[in-house]
Amino acid sequence: MLFAIASRRLALQRALAVTCAALALACAGRGDARRDSTPPASGGSESTIGVDDFGDTVALTPAKRIVSLSPMTTELLFTIGAGPLLVGRTEYDVWPAAAKSVPSVGPGIRPNVERILAARPDLVVLYAANDNRGAARALRAAGVRTVALKSDHLGDFARAARFLGAVSGRDSAAQQALDSVHATLDRVARSVRGLPKPRVLWFLWDNPPMVLGSGSYQSELLAVAGGENVYRERREPAAQVSMEDILTRDPQIVFADPGADIQLKTSARWGGIAARRGWRIVTIDDTLLNRPGVTLGMAAVSLARALHPGWRGP
Amino acid sequence: MIKLTEVVARYPRAAAPAVNGVSIVAPRGRVTAVVGPNGSGKSTLVRALLGLIPLERGAIAVDGEEIARLDPRERARRVAVVPQRESPAFPLPVRELIALGRRPHLGALSTWSAADTRAVDDAIMAAGVGELVERSSDELSGGEWQRVRIARGLAQRASSLVLDEPTTFLDVAHEMSVFELLAGLARDGMAVLLVSHQLNLVARFADEIVLLHHGRVAAAGSPSTVMRGDVLERVYEWPVVVVRDPAVGAPALVPLRGRRD
Amino acid sequence: MTARLPSVLGALAIVLLLAMIAGVAFGNVHVALPVTWRALRGEGDPLVVAVVRDLRLPRVMLAALVGGGLAVSGVSLQSTLRNGLAEPYLLGVSGGAAVGAVLAVAAGAGWLAVPVAAFAGAVAAVLVTLGVAHAAGGRADGRMLLMAGVVVGAFANAAIMVVLANAPPDTIRDATWWMMGSVSGAEWRTVRALALYLAIGAVTLWLVARDVDALALGEEAAAALGVRVARATRLVYLVAALVAAATVSAAGLVGFVGLVVPHLARATGLRSQRALLAAGMLIGAALVVAADLVARVARPPAELPLGAVTALVGVPFFLARLRALR
């Protein structure tokens, strides 16, 4: 659904709303306060130094050969037209389809530094997990620029988009992609506003039982799409719980991704309980959801459809 | 010379002392034997001499110096002890095993010298283990193992030698050769103190016998003084008869069968 | 025997040198030998220089130091405790270090904190083991030390399980990797620190080696030769455990080296403790350098954990040795 611009004032109001929604989402997905308060250079500003999620300073000049080591960043780079700059990706970065033509350098966690160096990059984008600090140090010692980015919250996506825009010389394309995603999210949020909020359990694992907490972009998307995470008071991305506790919270819908839903469906324990309590088990489309990337808008739409039967779209 | 004076030694958490006021003098040039039934405290004396059990009372002196005041290496230079049992975890060539006897003379930074080699060679010759030198310690028979250990003790070049049950597992020929070796060493001026349960050989070779019973000296003196039927029967709690061995002229113990009640 | 020692050590030194050359020359980036040699001197393609000098060389050095440290530790412990199955990890060192490291990882501490915490944990475990052995046996008896070490190790494992049971997946993955052992993060400062520890530890063990030769005979025989048995046992245990703890804090748990290398050293025919220490150090270093090379090239581009490779390499050697003993 398009949103028509009737007049300039309306356009300004819309722009303001989008910005507020984006900020609200960034705040909702807050993990590291320090991180949010030191944003990278926004497109077109004078500062050319940013601080990444390892706390390292990064020069924000355009790079020519980029190795990207996470699905979110690889996809983002392609989206903003920086695909031709990519000389390496992880074996798991398969979106968009064009990414498969970029040579793989192996895992994204504890990557093989030698393999990366063999591709002669001048910039390596890493997933900011502690395991990768060693690789970041080794690459910097070898004279290669590194940017470490988290991908745990919606706010991380915004930050990553700005960083990647700056280091690939595609600032405006990055901003556009960001705006488009935020616009969709905003539309979805507003269109489900009046609808009842189902209680949702987002199932991750059976042994031990693990569910999605509020410290993750999926949970943030759930909130945007008008659902209530029954474990939203648990701040960690994945929370370990017990079956009894799940029962007391009595969700209405259980989300699971295609791998996990098999556990649910084959578990007699879960099957029995779900049937008795009338839980609706929904398999979500994880190709849209497994990374907080450019597909976030569509992911929110698909979640909203699952949450609100009969919903006609944003 | 080794001198034990009123030695009292107790194992940790034991009710009674294992050695309860024992005095022994083992002078140079003589073979002194400590005998007694199992549990009478014989091996405890050796452990006390090695400093492995603290003395509750009394003192042990070697060549006039109390061992409690001596550095362990200094003590090992004065008195060589051949313990009862020894089982190395890893095999060692015999020559190297004997060479370990020079340990008390070698500090951490000292190097092996010609004097050390001479001491080892002399010990090998004195103990008569020349043909065993190239073998490995795990290939030796019980008797060979004993003689090698005695050689090691001799390599220490101490003036006193203490042996704890040196003839266990030895056949007659080897037993005799060990005792003859010990007698020869004493003749050459060493103070030999030996703990043994082999009463008859002790009676033939020892100059003085100390008989222990329940941690105390039950009798001490020349073999004829100590080897008496009534004394031995009381201490060993078994009917025995002491005869004078016509071939060698030394008293010999003959245990009788069954109990005389 | 003294005539053999230089030739044995010389041969082992050559083996180590070859292993180290291979470690620097091979990897994921193909570098020909002459190019490697130039790169070591800083000449040529800066990428190759970076790979050879900044990535591979510190790794190879660290691997050699870890192997050497674990070897001297194992040689000393097996002789002192008179047990061919003793090894530094059995005495609480690995458990304590793992607890320290896992706690540091779980607390989200910076990357510098993990090795320090591992070392602190190892030291604590060693002291607890000594204390337990003392309280139980009244003396630092070899058997007591082994049993106390097993108990402390079991307790450490339980503690690790408790910490990891409710930990987020990142922590579990980080901790697990650490426990599998790796020299992939080798840096020159770690190499220097470990070299210092190893030098002090090895020299100390070399100085008490004659006492250890006597201790290997048994408590009474050692005392008869003038060794202060309790003090020497405690000293060897402490130094061996600390050297092992230093290797663990630098590279995680690299198992089997401390257990297998003493047997390999004896297989060369050497017997005295000083000779075994020297030979063991060379063998251990070569073994871990080779294991690290295998870890890097066996399944590219991923790396195998170093501890897994040493176990896979160590077990067949050990079995072959056991058969030879029969």
Side-chain angles (χ1 to χ4, degrees):
Chain A
M1 182 138 152
L2 309 166
F3 71 131
I5 303 174
S7 67
R8 242 189 128 207
R9 216 177 89 198
L10 201 54
L12 223 56
Q13 277 179 353
R14 297 280 189 183
L16 215 58
V18 166
T19 317
C20 287
L23 279 176
L25 289 168
C27 293
R30 133 180 257 92
D32 186 356
R34 178 172 55 85
R35 182 165 45 84
D36 283 330
S37 67
T38 56
S42 45
S45 96
E46 312 71 32
S47 105
T48 47
I49 300 281
V51 179
D52 74 2
D53 293 339
F54 273 164
D56 295 323
T57 51
V58 186
L60 296 175
T61 50
K64 298 197 191 52
R65 295 172 66 88
I66 303 180
V67 167
S68 162
L69 294 177
S70 87
M72 170 182 87
T73 54
T74 302
E75 193 184 34
L76 247 179
L77 286 165
F78 268 97
T79 307
I80 62 178
L85 299 175
L86 279 172
V87 295
R89 60 168 174 102
T90 80
E91 48 195 335
Y92 301 107
D93 302 353
V94 294
W95 300 278
K100 296 187 201 164
S101 62
V102 176
S104 156
V105 294
I109 306 276
R110 290 184 187 261
N112 188 316
V113 174
E114 259 186 49
R115 268 289 267 268
I116 296 173
L117 285 179
R120 295 176 188 273
D122 54 5
L123 173 75
V124 176
V125 183
L126 294 149
Y127 172 54
N130 268 332
D131 306 61
N132 288 339
R133 282 187 190 267
R137 275 201 311 278
L139 286 166
R140 281 170 172 245
V144 176
R145 222 186 337 163
T146 66
V147 179
L149 296 168
K150 287 191 200 266
S151 47
D152 304 332
H153 298 283
L154 292 181
D156 295 330
F157 167 67
R159 199 167 136 75
R162 293 198 188 97
F163 249 113
L164 294 177
V167 297
S168 63
R170 306 262 193 287
D171 301 78
S172 46
Q175 190 60 48
Q176 263 175 16
L178 200 50
D179 291 341
S180 156
V181 165
H182 285 160
T184 312
L185 289 176
D186 171 58
R187 286 204 316 273
V188 170
R190 285 169 344 122
S191 97
V192 298
R193 197 171 301 152
L195 300 174
K197 288 176 90 153
R199 288 189 311 284
V200 176
L201 173 83
W202 198 312
F203 172 83
L204 293 176
W205 197 256
D206 193 22
N207 266 323
M210 302 205 63
V211 302
L212 200 72
S214 63
S216 63
Y217 64 89
Q218 294 101 323
S219 190
E220 291 160 3
L221 276 180
L222 186 63
V224 166
E228 179 190 307
N229 185 345
V230 296
Y231 276 102
R232 68 182 177 290
E233 88 281 359
R234 298 287 289 264
R235 301 234 169 264
E236 60 268 47
Q240 195 186 318
V241 299
S242 68
M243 280 304 292
E244 289 156 19
D245 195 52
I246 295 175
L247 275 172
T248 57
R249 296 188 190 231
D250 201 29
Q252 292 160 287
I253 307 179
V254 177
F255 278 171
D257 74 26
D261 74 342
I262 300 188
Q263 283 189 20
L264 269 183
K265 289 177 180 158
T266 54
S267 156
R269 183 171 68 143
W270 276 89
I273 295 177
R276 267 203 307 282
R277 312 288 311 166
W279 295 348
R280 187 155 62 92
I281 299 185
V282 175
T283 307
I284 52 182
D285 182 357
D286 92 317
T287 56
L288 291 178
L289 267 166
N290 66 3
R291 63 220 174 275
V294 296
T295 52
L296 276 173
M298 295 183 282
V301 168
S302 105
L303 282 182
R305 276 196 221 284
L307 287 168
H308 312 285
W311 180 70
R312 276 194 230 295
Chain B
M1 172 181 84
I2 305 177
K3 185 164 163 181
L4 286 81
T5 315
E6 291 296 319
V7 167
V8 177
R10 187 198 301 261
Y11 283 102
R13 292 189 284 269
V19 170
N20 203 352
V22 168
S23 299
I24 301 176
V25 176
R28 284 200 184 216
R30 320 264 274 176
V31 175
T32 310
V34 176
V35 302
N38 298 340
S40 53
K42 312 194 296 290
S43 286
T44 308
L45 281 179
V46 177
R47 292 177 70 82
L49 183 61
L50 287 175
L52 293 173
I53 304 181
L55 294 184
E56 218 173 75
R57 271 203 305 279
I60 305 180
V62 175
D63 288 344
E65 291 240 32
E66 267 189 52
I67 58 168
R69 278 201 261 277
L70 286 175
D71 178 66
R73 275 180 47 211
E74 176 62 38
R75 186 207 72 223
R77 285 200 284 268
R78 291 164 188 248
V79 55
V81 178
V82 181
Q84 181 177 32
R85 270 185 303 258
E86 195 175 310
S87 50
F90 304 103
L92 210 61
V94 165
R95 178 172 274 275
E96 275 186 50
L97 193 86
I98 299 174
L100 281 175
R102 299 303 297 162
R103 170 75 191 89
H105 298 269
L106 292 168
L109 294 169
S110 331
T111 41
W112 189 267
S113 69
D116 295 311
T117 313
R118 254 199 323 273
V120 170
D121 288 335
D122 290 347
I124 290 173
M125 217 162 51
V129 291
E131 74 276 8
L132 299 175
V133 159
E134 298 306 320
R135 304 253 294 273
S136 174
S137 61
D138 54 342
E139 298 165 10
L140 301 175
S141 71
E144 292 167 336
W145 179 230
Q146 287 289 52
R147 283 173 27 233
V148 162
R149 295 195 308 137
I150 293 175
R152 184 181 70 209
L154 294 178
Q156 285 175 248
R157 285 232 205 248
S159 57
S160 309
L161 179 66
V162 175
L163 305 102
D164 191 354
E165 306 277 6
T167 59
T168 333
F169 308 124
L170 298 192
D171 62 24
V172 160
H174 288 118
E175 263 188 324
M176 287 299 292
S177 77
V178 166
F179 269 97
E180 283 181 347
L181 168 62
L182 296 179
L185 291 171
R187 266 197 308 276
D188 291 339
M190 278 191 105
V192 176
L193 176 62
L194 115 106
V195 167
S196 180
H197 62 266
Q198 244 295 16
L199 280 172
N200 290 340
L201 285 182
V202 159
R204 284 170 63 181
F205 286 94
D207 299 298
E208 165 144 344
I209 302 182
V210 176
L211 175 63
L212 290 188
H213 190 209
H214 292 321
R216 287 180 207 275
V217 174
S222 70
S224 0
T225 324
V226 173
M227 297 279 288
R228 286 184 16 212
D230 51 342
V231 173
L232 294 176
E233 223 175 77
R234 179 170 52 87
V235 167
Y236 283 94
E237 294 172 24
W238 195 265
V240 300
V241 139
V242 175
V243 303
R244 188 146 289 267
D245 185 335
V248 293
L253 173 86
V254 177
L256 301 174
R257 288 176 71 163
R259 284 197 175 274
R260 204 196 280 161
D261 260 339
Chain C
M1 206 267 339
T2 36
R4 276 180 64 208
L5 181 60
S7 46
V8 169
L9 290 185
L12 290 176
I14 292 177
V15 168
L16 174 58
L17 195 62
L18 287 175
M20 289 177 78
I21 292 174
V24 171
F26 292 105
N28 273 271
V29 175
H30 181 67
V31 181
L33 268 176
V35 181
T36 308
W37 174 240
R38 282 208 302 277
L40 277 172
R41 299 212 305 272
E43 302 161 6
D45 186 345
L47 163 76
V48 175
V49 170
V51 164
V52 168
R53 283 223 300 210
D54 301 328
L55 284 187
R56 290 186 191 164
L57 192 58
R59 255 186 107 124
V60 164
M61 297 299 299
L62 190 65
L65 289 171
V66 167
L70 289 172
V72 300
S73 180
V75 164
S76 302
L77 283 174
Q78 284 192 2
S79 299
T80 307
L81 300 178
R82 299 172 56 236
N83 188 325
L85 290 178
E87 70 140 330
Y89 285 4
L90 213 55
L91 299 173
V93 170
S94 60
V99 169
V102 168
L103 282 175
V105 167
W111 63 269
L112 243 187
V114 174
V116 171
F119 191 72
V123 169
V126 165
L127 293 175
V128 168
T129 306
L130 272 174
V132 167
H134 184 83
R139 250 200 340 251
D141 176 66
R143 234 182 22 226
M144 275 298 150
L145 280 173
L146 275 174
M147 289 202 284
V150 170
V151 165
V152 168
F155 180 74
N157 282 341
I160 293 171
M161 282 196 266
V162 166
V163 171
L164 290 182
N166 295 307
D170 270 18
T171 302
I172 297 180
R173 192 183 52 221
D174 214 353
T176 309
W177 256 100
W178 184 89
M179 288 193 281
M180 295 197 280
S182 169
V183 289
S184 63
E187 288 179 28
W188 287 111
R189 82 177 103 188
T190 320
V191 171
R192 279 195 296 268
L194 188 57
L196 185 65
Y197 269 108
L198 181 55
I200 296 176
V203 165
T204 311
L205 289 173
W206 191 83
L207 286 173
V208 300
R210 286 207 171 114
D211 277 356
V212 175
D213 277 322
L215 283 173
L217 298 171
E219 183 187 42
E220 286 187 3
L225 290 172
V227 174
R228 278 189 222 268
V229 173
R231 207 169 75 164
T233 306
R234 259 199 315 268
L235 178 66
V236 170
Y237 175 67
L238 257 174
V239 175
L242 288 179
V243 168
T247 68
V248 170
S249 62
L253 299 178
V254 181
F256 258 95
V257 178
L259 176 63
V260 169
V261 171
H263 292 264
L264 293 177
R266 283 182 196 281
T268 63
L270 298 173
R271 291 283 173 261
S272 84
Q273 194 64 17
R274 288 191 170 175
L276 288 173
L277 282 175
M281 201 151 65
L282 294 172
I283 295 175
L287 184 64
V288 177
V289 167
D292 180 54
L293 178 60
V294 169
R296 274 186 283 137
V297 302
R299 212 179 56 170
E303 275 190 27
L304 291 177
L306 185 57
V309 177
T310 55
L312 289 173
V313 162
V315 169
F317 269 121
F318 198 55
L319 287 177
R321 180 86 187 122
L322 283 178
R323 280 192 59 213
L325 281 175
R326 268 195 293 118

